[in-house]
Structures are given as structure tokens and as C-alpha cells.
Amino acid sequence: MLAEDIELGKFEYVSTEKLKNLYTEITGKKSNVHKYYVLRKNAPSNTIPAHLYKDGMRHIHPDSKQARSITVREAARLQSFDDDYSFLGAMMSQYKMIGNAVPPKFAKIIASGLYKLILKYKTK
């Protein structure tokens, strides 16, 4: 329902308040944070947490016909892991590894910057 809302351009359920109200309506519970988020096809993802395995509705696949959370492989792609990178262990452990990881492309940028600083100050 949430992905379809975005696909159809209605955007009825994109505000935090609407999402919190929807959560209360569906579960009968109240929450100070919204529990649902549909990833946008042409926008940055929200943060991939280590607890994604139990909080999957904050990472809903953008295709409404699929009506699901993202897979381990999709989470890895969002974190910039190559498609041939293997995560071993149970699915829950794989989500934890991905969420706890520094994204490889981000790590490369940090390492490159540090290397340049080291070279700059090493010669002085």
C-alpha cells in the first residue's frame, strides 16, 4: 500500500505523522518513530542498520507488486558492496554484517584522504 501510494504519485503516507498514525491503526500500538519507509527508486536510501533483519518495514522495496522488505543482496548493494561479495552465515547474521559495515566506497574515500594527509605531513 505504501509503495503503491508513491508509485501513483499520491504521497499520502510520506509524512512522519501519517506513518505513525498508520502504524497505530494497523497494530493498535503507539510509537514515537514511524515504522515504515518505502525506498525511493531515484533517491538515496535511508541508513542500513545492523538490526534490519527485525526492522525490515523501514526498508520496503519500491515496487508495490513485490510487497516486501529488501533482501540481503539489495542491502549490500545500497552499502556499495560488489555483487560478487559473499556474506557467510545465517540471513540474520548477514544483515548484521552489512549494517555494521563501513560501506566499501566510503572506506576507500576515507583511506585516500588519510593517505594524502600522511604523505603531506610525512615530508615536513
Side-chain angles (χ1 to χ4, degrees):
M1 175 180 84
L2 298 175
E4 188 175 79
D5 175 60
I6 291 169
E7 285 175 339
L8 296 175
K10 293 179 181 178
F11 303 106
E12 185 180 342
Y13 296 105
V14 292
S15 76
T16 300
E17 283 308 309
K18 286 276 193 169
L19 290 167
K20 285 171 27 179
N21 291 341
L22 181 63
Y23 177 76
T24 302
E25 184 181 311
I26 290 173
T27 66
K29 301 175 187 176
K30 288 199 178 251
S31 176
N32 291 330
V33 295
H34 67 85
K35 302 286 187 174
Y36 308 111
Y37 183 81
V38 178
L39 297 172
R40 309 312 197 258
K41 291 181 182 180
N42 296 313
S45 167
N46 51 351
T47 302
I48 304 296
H51 55 82
L52 178 62
Y53 66 94
K54 64 181 179 180
D55 206 10
M57 290 298 103
R58 292 201 33 89
H59 296 82
I60 299 169
H61 192 278
D63 181 358
S64 65
K65 292 179 182 76
Q66 295 189 39
R68 63 177 176 84
S69 182
I70 60 172
T71 64
V72 168
R73 180 55 47 205
E74 289 163 340
R77 282 183 184 152
L78 290 171
Q79 286 285 73
S80 78
F81 283 93
D82 290 335
D83 281 345
D84 62 352
Y85 192 92
S86 295
F87 296 93
L88 304 177
M91 188 183 309
M92 183 170 67
S93 297
Q94 292 177 35
Y95 278 120
K96 283 182 182 181
M97 284 183 256
I98 294 164
N100 282 327
V102 175
K105 288 183 180 178
F106 181 59
K108 184 177 180 179
I109 291 167
I110 291 172
S112 176
L114 287 173
Y115 179 72
K116 288 174 187 173
L117 279 173
I118 290 168
L119 287 179
K120 179 180 176 179
Y121 290 102
K122 182 179 176 186
T123 58
K124 290 186 176 186

